[in-house]
Amino acid sequence: MERKNLALLCAGVVCFWLFALAFGTAQGNGLRQQNPAVQAAADQTQPVQPAAAQPALELPCRAACLIDQQTGTILYEKNADQQMPIASITKVMTLLLTFEAVHDGRIAMDTLVPVSEHAYHMGGSQIWLEPGEQFTLDEMIKAICVSSANDAAVAVAELVGGSEPGFVQMMNARAAELGMVNTTFHNACGLDTEGHLSTAHDVAIMSREILNTCPEVLHYTGIWTDTLRGGATQLVNTNKLLKRYNGITGLKTGTISASATRDGLDLIAVVLGSLSSSERFTAATTLLDYGFAAYAAVPLPAMEDRPLLIKVKGSAEESVPLDYTALPETLLMPKENAAALTAQLELPQELEAPVQLGQTVGTVRILSGETQLGEYEVRAAADAEKMDFGTAFGLLWDALTGCES
């Protein structure tokens, strides 16, 4: 028995030193590097969408822009980078900053919004706020979204920014972050002021941001009628497309930024410089009709046989789970080119430790025929630390003795 135990111990020592030698060699040879082909593919993650030829639409406006809400792809544009006044569409930025303040916990929907003398003196569309009067933030947002109330917008701006000038600084800083390079704000409500300008493209960027990050705004923009002050103040939505256009969800009038959804396709149509509200709604309807007729949101292949785990070498973890959430549910395509999509998954056989949560480990390529439409990252959904000397010795000892250390 003693000879058997001695032999077992000697065999264990030999195995351990062989393991240590191999472990050190692997580390020295740089086996942590990812498969070069996979790494090259991972560096190209931006989807490439085929574009339909832009038709000559008859639009009664000076500028327009139609985009896909999911990707930001421009589907149609007319003088989209020409600066001009944007009137009450300004309030989209006011709402964006307000919802972001709610998300950050700085204010809440039941926070009382005081009315200052400055807010009281706002002209144009309003709900006739009185100095010292208070409404909840929820009520003020309702007044902004439904009735486009300038006084409510300024009161909310003062709550979030401390003052309207302070809030305007926040508006311009946020616009710069979003890449709205042709936009300058001078107030929070959109009253005509020299130098208060934007473009159809910039408004589309701003509209997409609030719809994607603050979807609760649609609860308010979809309200047709409501009341304040216990029923004494009637609110009627200024966006007449709510009753006229199938799939309309919002967003803001003044000029107009209209959002609509059909069959999984979300579009944003911006119209600037029309002579009347009737022309604005006609132009927005024409843009949306074109978008829904020319484009489709095509579902991605199911990929039901995709691996859920990938092996890891040089770690106490045998494998890590895979994260496919970078893949969209649908892909924007011109209907004339819409065909069945295929998916090509590129993954190495195994990974070399250490592996970090969120690390790109492979890619999925989406193709229509031979044309690549997009490439998306596959990421590690957990960490796998590199095995050190102590862990390796513990695992070897457990294997030799049949015990857990």
Side-chain angles (χ1 to χ4, degrees):
M1 181 61 70
E2 290 182 358
R3 288 184 177 181
K4 182 177 180 181
N5 289 340
L6 181 60
L8 183 61
L9 179 60
C10 290
V13 171
V14 171
C15 290
F16 173 76
W17 284 113
L18 288 174
F19 175 86
L21 180 62
F23 186 81
T25 302
Q27 186 177 24
N29 287 339
L31 295 181
R32 290 173 54 188
Q33 293 182 354
Q34 195 176 17
N35 184 309
V38 173
Q39 183 60 51
D43 289 340
Q44 301 174 3
T45 58
Q46 294 299 318
V48 179
Q49 308 293 352
Q54 179 168 299
L57 299 179
E58 292 293 331
L59 299 176
C61 61
R62 290 167 55 199
C65 187
L66 176 70
I67 68 169
D68 170 50
Q69 181 183 321
Q70 178 177 291
T71 63
T73 302
I74 297 175
L75 308 182
Y76 185 92
E77 56 184 341
K78 173 185 176 180
N79 301 325
D81 293 319
Q82 180 179 333
Q83 283 189 317
M84 60 187 66
I86 60 170
S88 284
I89 289 183
T90 297
K91 297 184 181 79
V92 172
M93 180 60 80
T94 300
L95 290 166
L96 175 61
L97 292 176
T98 300
F99 282 120
E100 289 178 343
V102 173
H103 295 174
D104 293 343
R106 287 177 279 149
I107 53 177
M109 298 307 292
D110 59 359
T111 298
L112 291 177
V113 183
V115 178
S116 68
E117 287 283 346
H118 177 62
Y120 163 71
H121 283 102
M122 286 300 109
S125 177
Q126 55 185 299
I127 57 170
W128 309 105
L129 293 174
E130 293 290 336
E133 196 173 16
Q134 289 187 332
F135 289 90
T136 65
L137 180 61
D138 173 76
E139 291 173 318
M140 287 291 201
I141 290 176
K142 189 184 304 180
I144 296 169
C145 292
V146 178
S147 294
S148 195
N150 292 334
D151 48 2
V154 172
V156 169
E158 291 175 332
L159 173 72
V160 176
S163 66
E164 187 180 17
F167 187 79
V168 168
Q169 290 182 357
M170 295 170 60
M171 295 172 73
N172 286 316
R174 192 72 177 95
E177 290 174 359
L178 293 174
M180 298 168 60
V181 296
N182 294 309
T183 296
T184 302
F185 295 110
H186 285 287
N187 60 62
C189 62
L191 287 175
D192 284 344
T193 304
E194 185 178 356
H196 186 101
L197 302 170
S198 187
T199 67
H201 184 214
D202 282 1
V203 170
I205 292 172
M206 175 174 66
S207 301
R208 177 174 179 250
E209 180 69 13
I210 194 171
L211 289 168
N212 285 343
T213 64
C214 311
E216 62 267 37
V217 70
L218 295 179
H219 165 72
Y220 297 94
T221 60
I223 296 173
W224 179 242
T225 61
D226 210 323
T227 62
L228 294 174
R229 299 185 175 100
T233 300
Q234 300 291 318
L235 304 178
V236 179
N237 205 307
T238 56
N239 185 2
K240 306 311 177 187
L241 291 180
L242 285 176
K243 292 293 187 180
R244 300 177 186 173
Y245 197 84
N246 178 31
I248 201 76
T249 58
L251 174 67
K252 192 72 195 71
T253 57
T255 43
I256 191 168
S257 176
S259 58
T261 299
R262 289 185 191 173
D263 300 322
L265 179 60
D266 302 317
L267 299 180
I268 300 170
V270 177
V271 174
L272 303 181
S274 292
L275 297 178
S276 67
S277 61
S278 176
E279 288 189 348
R280 285 196 293 270
F281 294 133
T282 296
T285 297
T286 300
L287 282 172
L288 293 172
D289 282 346
Y290 162 69
F292 287 124
Y295 291 88
V298 181
L300 264 63
M303 295 180 61
E304 295 176 353
D305 58 345
R306 64 188 182 186
L308 301 180
L309 300 170
I310 187 169
K311 293 181 179 179
V312 180
K313 182 180 180 181
S315 172
E317 305 294 336
E318 294 183 0
S319 62
V320 294
L322 293 171
D323 175 9
Y324 292 91
T325 57
L327 276 71
E329 294 182 2
T330 60
L331 207 60
L332 176 72
M333 291 190 66
K335 285 187 176 179
E336 62 185 16
N337 298 334
L341 303 181
T342 58
Q344 292 184 358
L345 175 62
E346 297 182 7
L347 282 174
Q349 291 297 315
E350 62 181 5
L351 302 175
E352 183 74 23
V355 177
Q356 295 182 336
L357 173 68
Q359 176 181 325
T360 299
V361 298
T363 58
V364 175
R365 299 172 62 228
I366 304 299
L367 301 98
S368 176
E370 298 298 320
T371 303
Q372 179 172 310
L373 304 181
E375 192 167 90
Y376 305 91
E377 294 179 346
V378 181
R379 306 185 183 103
D383 293 321
E385 295 183 0
K386 191 174 184 68
M387 189 182 301
D388 57 20
F389 181 87
T391 303
F393 184 83
L395 291 174
L396 180 59
W397 180 258
D398 291 345
L400 292 175
T401 62
C403 302
E404 293 188 2
S405 57

